Amino acid sequence: MKTKSNLYRKESYYGYLFVLAPVLGFLLFTMYPLLYSLYGSFTDWDGLGRMDFIGLANFKEIFADEQFHKAGFNTIFMMIGIPIEIILALLLALGLNRKMFGTTAFRVVYYIPVISSLAAISILWQWAYNGDYGLVNQFLALFGIDGPNWLTNKYTVKPALIIMMVWKNIGYSMLLYLAALQSVPKDYYEAASLDGANAFQTFKHITFPMVKPVTFFIIVTKIIGGAQVFTEINIMTSTGGPEYSSASVVFYVWQKAFGNLQMGYASAMAMLLGLFIFVITLVQFKMNERSSRDLE
């Protein structure tokens, strides 16, 4: 019994040692910055000097801040790309799930943007959208269309960014759908075929329900990522676009924190953004649970 007890203690010691690194990493690099930022949101800290407690003053100022309202609207507007990406990715996955020549090559081609540097892709699309020599306007000129300067026009800058982000991320969603489609048992399709189901009925009653968990995962992760969009906006429209029409909330947080040295104000905006993401994610999980119960 003594030997067994010693062995148990030894295993426990190594077990705690293995979990120590990730726990310490979480506490140091996630919890501590989060709590520090939460406290900072109630101060007038400039990032360098002392932190004077000012209560809810930062939050009151945010709700009256027109720039913040614009950035919030832009962030939500650019999430229009999420359903577009999901639909296109599912259609591509359905096409590439068939046995036909060149499917492997197409899968690689669509996935290359996913693993490419976001900074490099942003610079590439910045060139493509240029009004004077950009590839997009050169293509439109073939049809006699005089394209705008996409990134300096307040009406075209957001659609331009949405197209770029859909192009960048569609390969990832397509690959997830492809994996889900290949895991659907063939028996289901054979039974549907014997029952005389057409292609639409097969998709509606078999394919779509079977890939629903993947759709849910993509929606949740894309909304979280969409709420934090920053790099492409900072590179392609470094001032936040004409009349601040492309600035996201994270871009505005970054400007306030490191441009204007209003770290306390930026922390308050970050807290509100985090709360928004938490509430939206919670609502999605609740809706998914209700939908799953209805299907059962």
Side-chain angles (χ1 to χ4, degrees):
M1 288 298 290
K2 188 177 180 180
T3 304
K4 188 176 179 180
S5 177
N6 287 337
L7 183 63
Y8 176 77
R9 279 200 296 270
K10 193 175 180 182
E11 286 183 347
S12 299
Y13 169 75
Y14 284 116
Y16 287 125
L17 205 60
F18 273 112
V19 300
L20 186 62
V23 169
L24 279 178
F26 174 75
L27 292 175
L28 283 175
F29 300 111
T30 302
M31 283 307 294
Y32 175 70
L34 177 66
L35 295 175
Y36 199 79
S37 179
L38 178 62
Y39 176 69
S41 67
F42 298 106
T43 70
D44 62 352
W45 190 40
D46 61 1
L48 299 172
R50 53 182 290 178
M51 302 170 77
D52 292 324
F53 188 79
I54 57 172
L56 295 172
N58 285 329
F59 294 95
K60 290 178 183 174
E61 190 178 340
I62 287 172
F63 287 111
D65 187 345
E66 288 187 10
Q67 294 287 76
F68 180 77
H69 296 164
K70 279 188 178 180
F73 171 77
N74 295 336
T75 303
I76 293 172
F77 186 92
M78 284 189 277
M79 288 187 191
I80 290 174
I82 295 173
I84 297 172
E85 179 187 324
I86 288 173
I87 293 169
L88 292 177
L90 181 55
L91 290 174
L92 280 173
L94 287 168
L96 295 177
N97 194 37
R98 297 171 183 274
K99 289 181 180 177
M100 51 187 267
F101 178 75
T103 52
T104 304
F106 277 115
R107 291 173 193 174
V108 173
V109 168
Y110 284 117
Y111 199 70
I112 285 177
V114 179
I115 59 173
S116 301
S117 161
L118 182 55
I121 284 178
S122 299
I123 293 170
L124 178 72
W125 276 87
Q126 193 178 26
W127 166 78
Y129 280 135
N130 188 283
D132 298 322
Y133 52 81
L135 192 64
V136 174
N137 281 0
Q138 288 184 33
F139 176 75
L140 292 175
L142 296 175
F143 303 96
I145 301 172
D146 187 18
N149 198 341
W150 295 84
L151 300 178
T152 59
N153 184 315
K154 68 176 182 180
Y155 297 109
T156 58
V157 64
K158 280 195 282 288
L161 287 167
I162 289 170
I163 292 170
M164 175 263 180
M165 287 188 277
V166 169
W167 176 85
K168 167 78 172 71
N169 299 315
I170 196 170
Y172 175 74
S173 302
M174 180 207 70
L175 208 64
L176 290 176
Y177 273 128
L178 201 55
L181 289 172
Q182 291 178 350
S183 66
V184 178
K186 304 296 180 195
D187 299 352
Y188 292 180
Y189 292 113
E190 290 172 3
S193 178
L194 289 173
D195 289 340
N198 58 33
F200 177 74
Q201 290 170 326
T202 304
F203 174 81
K204 182 181 177 184
H205 297 291
I206 297 177
T207 305
F208 188 70
M210 294 301 288
V211 301
K212 189 182 172 188
V214 172
T215 305
F216 174 68
F217 172 78
I218 292 174
I219 290 173
V220 171
T221 54
K222 290 295 174 184
I223 288 180
I224 293 172
Q228 302 174 69
V229 62
F230 169 73
T231 305
E232 49 272 63
I233 291 169
N234 189 35
I235 293 174
M236 296 174 73
T237 58
S238 57
T239 59
E243 299 181 23
Y244 223 53
S245 54
S246 65
S248 65
V249 173
V250 174
F251 180 84
Y252 191 43
V253 169
W254 174 79
Q255 270 196 331
K256 284 291 184 184
F258 301 104
N260 301 347
L261 292 181
Q262 291 179 268
M263 202 65 76
Y265 190 71
S267 297
M269 287 193 289
M271 288 297 110
L272 288 178
L273 179 64
L275 183 64
F276 169 78
I277 292 173
F278 174 77
V279 171
I280 291 294
T281 306
L282 189 65
V283 169
Q284 287 175 306
F285 272 92
K286 291 293 180 187
M287 288 174 66
N288 186 60
E289 283 178 8
R290 183 179 296 177
S291 176
S292 299
R293 281 199 300 269
D294 291 342
L295 284 176
E296 289 172 1

